[in-house]
Amino acid sequence: MNNVWWIIRREFGSYLRSPIGYIIIFAVLVVDGLLFNAFAMGTGAQKSSQVLENFFFFTSGTTLFAAIFIGMRLIAEERQTGTLALLATSPVREWQLILGKFLAALVFLCVMTALTIYMPLLVMINGKVSMAHILAGYLGIFLLGAAAVALVLLCSAIAPNQLVAAVLGAAVVTTFLLMWLLSRIASPPLEDLLAYLSIHDKHFRPFMRGIISVKDVVFYVSLIWVSLLVATRFLESRRWR
Amino acid sequence: MIVAEQLTKYYGDRAAVTGIDFTIRDGEVVGLLGLNGAGKTTILKILSGLLLPTSGRVTVAGLSMAEQPEQARARIGFLPEQPPLYPEMTVNGYLQFVAHIKSFTGDIDAAITEATAAADLSHVRDHVIATLSNGFQRRVGIAQAIIHKPALILLDEPTSGLDPVQVVQMRDLIRGLRGKNTIMLSSHNLHEIKEVCDRILVIKDGQIAAEGTEAELGKRVTTATKLSVEVRAAAGAFREAMAKAKNVAHFEINTEKDGVTTATVELAKDCREELAKTLVDAGFGLRRFERIELELESIFLELTRKEVQS
């Protein structure tokens, strides 16, 4: 696990040493703040739990957007700059590399998400919402963001460069996002499968309302696990090509 | 000791390397010489563990690259053509990271001090890599390849993209690693190979066309003896003497000035004493009688030409 720790350390450090990390955080906070002010708060009277629900809805959007920018560079940048050769010729196993990269991105995502806490706290101070609702919502954001990062990380492992990784990642995340729409036009049993695979509509909405369901947690963890596993296998296969 | 047995690598249907065998002894500096696309980089990538061969086997210090890949890779330092650097890191931070992921178990600070001193980077240890010149960045690449004291250092075109001053500095740096390290470097630069390597592997179309020291390769490409001769005689008289002499396969008058003729003479077999006697008996003043040793450039051209002909 020593290798994983050093990969996390270097990767997280690279967000702090380069402008990209600050730009992502700045953009997310500005957009999230504007959406909170303009839409989540609403113009008319609303229950504070509804405001909180709206906040998590908009934050899920900015998190998915940020996940694409965080994940696109993870492997593709290493390939582009040639540093993948350093890692591939070191006694680092592919799963350690993928896990280290994923966890570093996740830590960054957590830092970014934590900076939005002032909005739910404002709702809590001025309204009546439970801390459990806030925690459930953030758990949902964390799982949704982690799943999106894992999917984009897989795309980054496949793509030859960051641009292709970003386009591919955005396409894959959007596809998972729109599964609920596809499920409406599909017939059974595909309908149920597509609905189940919907990364947001089916599995995130309960968290927005403060409900933590094991099956939703299992869905996100499974999606993350499969994405990381495929990314690992893909990197392993590159030695044969 | 590094042993490569029957290495073959295919990229799709195209064979990049076919059935290569070689051994590198401890402390040896071996040069891979070949034209672009000959298969040098593929060989280095296989030795470094970056690529797996389609067939064949690589052993590093007794460890099989296929069966114990992590342990074998820990004993290798690799500098690809494009140095694998993280530009936003400092030299110190980068080398610390490399030492850790290379599973180096010794004193890391001491290893960084040693590697930066060897690569002449001590004064830029705290500099951000992006702010360093191309030559210094390549030195950082060398430092990362030696930081964990590997059994084998692989350098792919180490002077590629450097200016002439940086090329000389890089060669000095590699020469400084000799004796303490086992090194394999690839280059299409004959001068570079000649300057720093103990032994040369000439690669052509993914195969070893020839192997040995410069002198051994020279012997391999020619059985004829080539001489540079200078005599005090008229060119006509010299021509006549050469026509009568035995075993002269070919000769060429180079200059004739003030009664002195210079020529290149190629003998079918080594009968230098006989030819010298012939010239003296003819009454020529023998001013120079010297065997021409083939330069690496000529050897390389000869070897590659031979292969093309065959």
Side-chain angles (χ1 to χ4, degrees), chain A residues 96-118:
Chain A
Q96 292 175 326
L97 172 61
I98 293 292
L99 186 62
K101 290 275 183 182
F102 173 69
L103 291 177
L106 212 53
V107 172
F108 181 77
L109 197 78
C110 287
V111 170
M112 183 191 80
T113 309
L115 293 172
T116 64
I117 191 73
Y118 73 94

Side-chain angles (χ1 to χ4, degrees), chain B residues 162-208:
Chain B
L162 298 181
D163 66 37
V165 175
Q166 291 169 335
V167 167
V168 172
Q169 288 171 341
M170 181 58 74
R171 278 187 201 144
D172 288 342
L173 202 163
I174 297 167
R175 264 197 294 264
L177 299 174
R178 285 179 73 157
K180 293 169 274 182
N181 301 281
T182 307
I183 303 172
M184 178 175 248
L185 65 91
S186 80
S187 181
H188 55 254
N189 187 319
L190 300 156
H191 188 59
E192 184 169 292
I193 291 274
K194 188 179 163 179
E195 289 256 308
V196 298
C197 298
D198 303 320
R199 194 155 58 92
I200 302 162
L201 301 181
V202 181
I203 307 296
K204 173 122 193 354
D205 296 335
Q207 291 178 315
I208 296 177

Side-chain angles (χ1 to χ4, degrees), chain B residues 51-65:
Chain B
L51 288 179
L52 287 166
T54 309
S55 65
R57 183 183 158 88
V58 174
T59 314
V60 179
L63 297 161
S64 163
M65 191 59 89

Side-chain angles (χ1 to χ4, degrees), chain B residues 74-91:
Chain B
R75 284 162 179 79
I76 286 172
F78 180 41
L79 173 64
E81 199 172 347
Q82 183 188 3
L85 307 174
Y86 294 105
E88 77 283 358
M89 295 180 93
T90 62
V91 173

Side-chain angles (χ1 to χ4, degrees), chain A residues 3 6 10 14 17 78 80-83 85-93 238-241, chain B residues 9 48-52 70 73-74 78 82 84-86 88-89 94 97 100-103 144:
Chain A
N3 286 337
W6 278 96
R10 196 215 66 76
S14 77
R17 280 188 291 265
E78 300 265 5
Q80 251 180 305
T81 57
T83 46
L86 170 68
L87 300 167
T89 56
S90 300
V92 175
R93 293 182 180 183
R238 288 190 69 87
R239 288 190 200 272
W240 291 103
R241 278 180 261 164
Chain B
K9 180 71 187 175
S48 68
L50 189 60
L51 288 179
L52 287 166
E70 283 84 28
R73 290 205 295 264
F78 180 41
Q82 183 188 3
L85 307 174
Y86 294 105
E88 77 283 358
M89 295 180 93
Y94 171 70
F97 170 70
H100 280 287
I101 62 161
K102 293 279 184 183
S103 304
Q144 67 80 25

Side-chain angles (χ1 to χ4, degrees), chain A residues 103-156:
Chain A
L103 291 177
L106 212 53
V107 172
F108 181 77
L109 197 78
C110 287
V111 170
M112 183 191 80
T113 309
L115 293 172
T116 64
I117 191 73
Y118 73 94
M119 289 178 269
L121 286 180
L122 279 175
V123 179
M124 200 166 111
I125 291 163
N126 296 302
K128 197 180 174 188
V129 288
S130 69
M131 184 53 88
H133 188 171
I134 295 175
L135 290 177
Y138 271 115
L139 177 65
I141 293 286
F142 171 77
L143 289 169
L144 178 73
V149 165
L151 285 170
V152 182
L153 170 58
L154 167 60
C155 298
S156 184

